[in-house]
Amino acid sequence: MTTPIEGFSKLSKEDKINYIAQTYTQHPNETVAVLKQYWSADEKLQNLHDEFIENTITNFYLPLGIAPNFLINNKLYAIPMAIEESSVVAAASKAAKFWQTRGGFKTTILGTEKVGQVHFMYQGDTEKLTTFFKHVKPRLIQSVAPIVKNMEKRGGGIKNIELRDKSSDLGDYFQLHCTFETLDAMGANFINSCLEGFAQCLKEEAQLYAPFTDKEKDIEIVMSILSNYIPNCVAKAEVSCPVSDLKAHHGITAEDFARKMVRAVNIAKVEPYRAVTHNKGIMNGIDAVVLATGNDFRAIEAGAHAYASKDGRYTSLTHASIENGTFKFWIEIPLALGTVGGLTTLHPLVKLALEILQNPTAKELMQIVAVAGLAQNFGAVRSLVTTGIQQGHMKMHLLNILNQLGATEEEKLSLIEYFKKHTASHSAVVVAFEELRNKK
């Protein structure tokens, strides 16, 4: 039986690899070879990657693709996308091409406010706590002046601190609800540092506040942490054109296509089972750009899905309508993104991705990412209401299947040509591959 290991983090990289290979894999020598195969030959670059996280043993590659021809606010972009799923880059590119000749994508920033909270327990008179908060609020802000100084010079900083009584939800529970402007930084470290400063000051000042009883002075800080729910840090992206400009799709008129698109989005608005998959498709595009630009896609995912539930039920993040003969398709989505700090200044491919995007500000990146999500959703819904999702997806997935089967380059070319005229399912590809092999 495998036993726990002590001091794994203190082992050398070689020793970590050998331990994992010998303890958990059937062919240790092959495991070591595979792991080392993904190391960079540039020792300095590899060391940089090793230090991004703890207990690094190798690099894990994802394809970095480009979706070109995105016309956003009359400016042309090629959008880098890091993702493993077939058809995402193709669908985004196809949508970009479609809308490029129809006015392109229009975007606006609806807000850039980020949120953090100090969660604490207080046993005592609520009115007394409210009076204390009014007294101490300026001191809370002053307590983090050294942290905020540089951010304020750039035009950011603390926007507000509110005392919120949550004791009806959980006994004795209160919070400082704090809002921030972090400009081009995602701002997690800045916000968390401010919150911890507020917490320390709150606790210290409570001990000195004469009107409090001894019990009331004993405020218990539970935790101080930013929130990934940022309903006031939102980008909007939209496209529109006359319905007649949509052109016929696969045997249906432009008018029918527009109605089908609106109906499909409305189904996602009212049916949570559909909405989750609908929004997952949006996040295919968004996560790919967020990852390519060195931002936190887990935070973006969490915030987006929370935003989809903000009115009490889970619903679509995109919207569609037909008004006076015009088809409109748009998204509003929270995006806490940064273009300075973190991996943006460390990871060579992240720096290159941002350069390809013409070194956007955080606001510009929010708009680009929102467009990527809207384009992805347009492409997915268009397929769903016309040919079905599998036709395009399976053809893009074809190379993955052929690689799994060990097809030669000649066989790949032959089967790619064959499936231009035939439906590509996994079983159909296997049958066609075996038939091709048997002919030899």
Side-chain angles (χ1 to χ4, degrees), residues 47 90 125 128 130 249-250 273 308 310 317 364 372 429:
N47 187 60
D125 187 322
K128 224 188 277 188
T130 302
H249 281 76
H250 302 279
Y273 281 89
K310 65 182 172 63
L317 287 164
E364 289 168 339
V429 174

Side-chain angles (χ1 to χ4, degrees), residues 112-130:
T112 57
E113 181 180 276
K114 294 169 186 173
V115 175
Q117 296 166 321
V118 177
H119 306 270
F120 67 94
M121 313 305 284
Y122 166 80
Q123 298 181 42
D125 187 322
T126 302
E127 288 187 14
K128 224 188 277 188
L129 179 64
T130 302

Side-chain angles (χ1 to χ4, degrees), residues 61-248:
Y61 289 1
L62 286 176
L64 179 65
I66 293 289
N69 301 319
F70 273 90
L71 186 62
I72 304 175
N73 297 336
N74 298 316
K75 184 176 179 180
L76 199 61
Y77 290 89
I79 299 183
M81 306 179 83
I83 191 166
E84 87 298 340
E85 184 171 340
S86 303
S87 77
V88 169
V89 176
S93 302
K94 189 174 181 181
K97 183 178 179 181
F98 181 88
W99 287 106
Q100 184 197 348
T101 56
R102 293 166 175 81
F105 296 83
K106 306 300 180 187
T107 61
T108 50
I109 295 296
L110 304 182
T112 57
E113 181 180 276
K114 294 169 186 173
V115 175
Q117 296 166 321
V118 177
H119 306 270
F120 67 94
M121 313 305 284
Y122 166 80
Q123 298 181 42
D125 187 322
T126 302
E127 288 187 14
K128 224 188 277 188
L129 179 64
T130 302
T131 302
F132 165 69
F133 172 71
K134 292 176 181 176
H135 162 75
V136 81
K137 183 176 176 179
R139 300 184 189 187
L140 295 175
I141 295 171
Q142 184 59 37
S143 72
V144 297
I147 300 171
V148 177
K149 183 179 178 182
N150 288 334
M151 186 68 76
E152 286 181 335
K153 283 181 179 179
R154 298 194 294 271
I158 303 161
K159 295 187 71 175
N160 196 19
I161 307 174
E162 300 174 21
L163 172 67
R164 293 192 174 181
D165 181 352
K166 308 291 285 187
S167 58
S168 61
D169 298 320
L170 180 66
D172 304 327
Y173 168 42
F174 295 80
Q175 63 179 229
L176 299 182
H177 185 88
C178 314
T179 51
F180 302 86
E181 171 58 65
T182 64
L183 304 170
D184 287 337
M186 189 276 166
N189 290 331
F190 168 76
I191 292 172
N192 287 334
S193 294
C194 287
L195 295 172
E196 290 179 2
F198 295 158
Q200 182 178 344
C201 180
L202 182 75
K203 193 168 180 64
E204 290 173 354
E205 290 293 328
Q207 291 291 324
L208 302 173
Y209 191 60
F212 276 164
T213 65
D214 288 345
K215 189 176 183 180
E216 289 169 334
K217 288 180 179 181
D218 192 22
I219 286 176
E220 179 189 352
I221 305 298
V222 179
M223 55 187 165
S224 308
I225 185 70
L226 66 77
S227 173
N228 292 128
Y229 182 45
I230 43 167
N232 295 319
C233 184
V234 176
K236 179 179 180 179
E238 58 189 318
V239 288
S240 65
C241 70
V243 169
S244 57
D245 282 1
L246 291 173
K247 78 177 183 179

